Amino acid sequence: MYHSIEKMPRSTIMRSLHVPPKRFKFQMWILYKLGYKGLSLKELKPYLDGKKIGKVVGITFDDGYKNNLLNAAPILSKFNFSATCYIVGDRIGETNSWDLSHGITQRPLMTLNEIKKWLELGMDIGAHTNTHANLTKLTKPQLVQEIYQCKKKLENFFDVTITDFCYPFGQFHEDSVKVVSESGYLTATTMNRGRVNFDSDQLTLPRIPITHHTLPHLFMLKLLSKYEDKR
Ligand SMILES: [Zn+2]
């Protein structure tokens, strides 16, 4: 689980969400050297289902930052990896305004054309609701609006099938998972920590957070040991 791939000034709040491009490149190189292939959730699905076997890692970016296209995509392409970027339907070309009340720095999100470029590079997108809402606070009609309508909107904009969802703030409950299922999504990711296995519920998949603080030895621990699974 990545967010922003960018070098940040010292003063920034929540700078841990920003992984410098150099570090990201090194992490992708480690995966490559260890024989792993980085995949979008769509490409990961057959592995989750046990239909394909191999050394694979799902790579996700939350929110749709412009720096994902500028800084991460060239590195992913270099290693022939793909990734899923979760787009906030009503915030395309804007900023992460949902973070304003927390004092988190505003970063530009990809525009329509930039998301098209992301797709042309062989990367994929998933849905992250229309407004980056905390789904556990919504009524059923609001859940349908945020979860189902976001899928429809992205499919209309980009002429792709949206099969993958990500819960904003990692917040989900029984009702939201139900609407995700009814909307036709095949996978959904949370901020619950751990590595995925065949028993994992595909609509509440755990992830491994990679932050500013994830130095190479910690990256290896997260990837190869039970480090994340125990949390
Ligand atoms: Zn988010």
Side-chain angles (χ1 to χ4, degrees):
M1 173 176 68
Y2 291 97
H3 286 79
S4 168
I5 305 298
E6 185 178 29
K7 207 175 156 191
M8 286 298 293
R10 282 181 187 283
S11 56
T12 305
I13 300 176
M14 291 289 282
R15 61 195 299 259
S16 67
L17 289 178
H18 305 276
V19 175
K22 251 189 178 172
R23 193 160 296 165
F24 178 73
K25 189 175 185 181
F26 191 65
Q27 290 163 356
M28 295 304 105
W29 180 80
I30 289 175
L31 290 179
Y32 177 78
K33 278 289 164 191
L34 291 173
Y36 284 92
K37 189 157 168 61
L39 298 177
S40 67
L41 263 293
K42 213 176 263 161
E43 290 178 318
L44 192 69
K45 181 74 167 73
Y47 294 90
L48 298 177
D49 293 337
K51 289 176 182 161
K52 275 188 177 179
I53 305 287
K55 289 176 80 172
V56 292
V57 174
I59 301 178
T60 65
F61 298 90
D62 288 18
D63 305 335
Y65 294 101
K66 192 188 284 274
N67 61 44
N68 294 169
L69 174 70
L70 298 179
N71 299 336
I75 296 167
L76 292 165
S77 295
K78 183 181 154 79
F79 292 108
N80 205 19
F81 289 175
S82 63
T84 297
C85 187
Y86 295 112
I87 306 294
V88 181
D90 287 349
R91 299 291 175 267
I92 292 170
E94 299 180 14
T95 63
N96 49 319
S97 49
W98 58 87
D99 284 329
L100 264 177
S101 57
H102 309 287
I104 297 175
T105 318
Q106 295 294 290
R107 312 307 300 161
L109 301 169
M110 281 191 271
T111 62
L112 277 178
N113 276 333
E114 286 166 341
I115 296 171
K116 282 178 188 164
K117 271 187 207 147
W118 171 264
L119 290 165
E120 281 164 15
L121 290 169
M123 306 300 155
D124 200 19
I125 56 169
H128 201 31
T129 74
N130 277 332
T131 66
H132 206 283
N134 179 345
L135 297 175
T136 61
K137 304 229 153 71
L138 303 185
T139 62
K140 178 83 192 262
Q142 287 173 322
L143 285 175
V144 172
Q145 179 64 27
E146 291 284 354
I147 298 168
Y148 177 72
Q149 292 304 332
C150 182
K151 176 172 157 72
K152 288 295 128 193
K153 179 173 291 184
L154 296 178
E155 288 179 342
N156 284 334
F157 279 161
F158 303 109
D159 199 23
V160 290
T161 309
I162 302 291
T163 56
D164 308 291
F165 183 80
C166 174
Y167 301 97
F169 310 108
Q171 295 287 324
F172 63 97
H173 61 344
E174 212 182 316
D175 285 352
S176 47
V177 177
K178 196 159 173 268
V179 175
V180 166
S181 172
E182 289 166 354
S183 300
Y185 290 103
L186 301 180
T187 77
T189 46
T190 67
M191 284 185 173
N192 293 353
R193 296 176 69 163
R195 295 181 300 174
V196 169
N197 60 51
F198 290 121
D199 295 328
S200 303
D201 174 7
Q202 294 190 15
L203 295 183
T204 55
L205 288 169
R207 288 189 291 176
I208 299 171
I210 307 293
T211 71
H212 190 83
H213 307 293
T214 312
L215 298 174
H217 63 283
L218 184 56
F219 185 80
M220 300 277 278
L221 266 182
K222 283 170 177 260
L223 182 70
L224 300 172
S225 76
K226 291 188 158 73
Y227 180 85
E228 288 287 332
D229 306 340
K230 286 178 184 161
R231 285 164 183 263

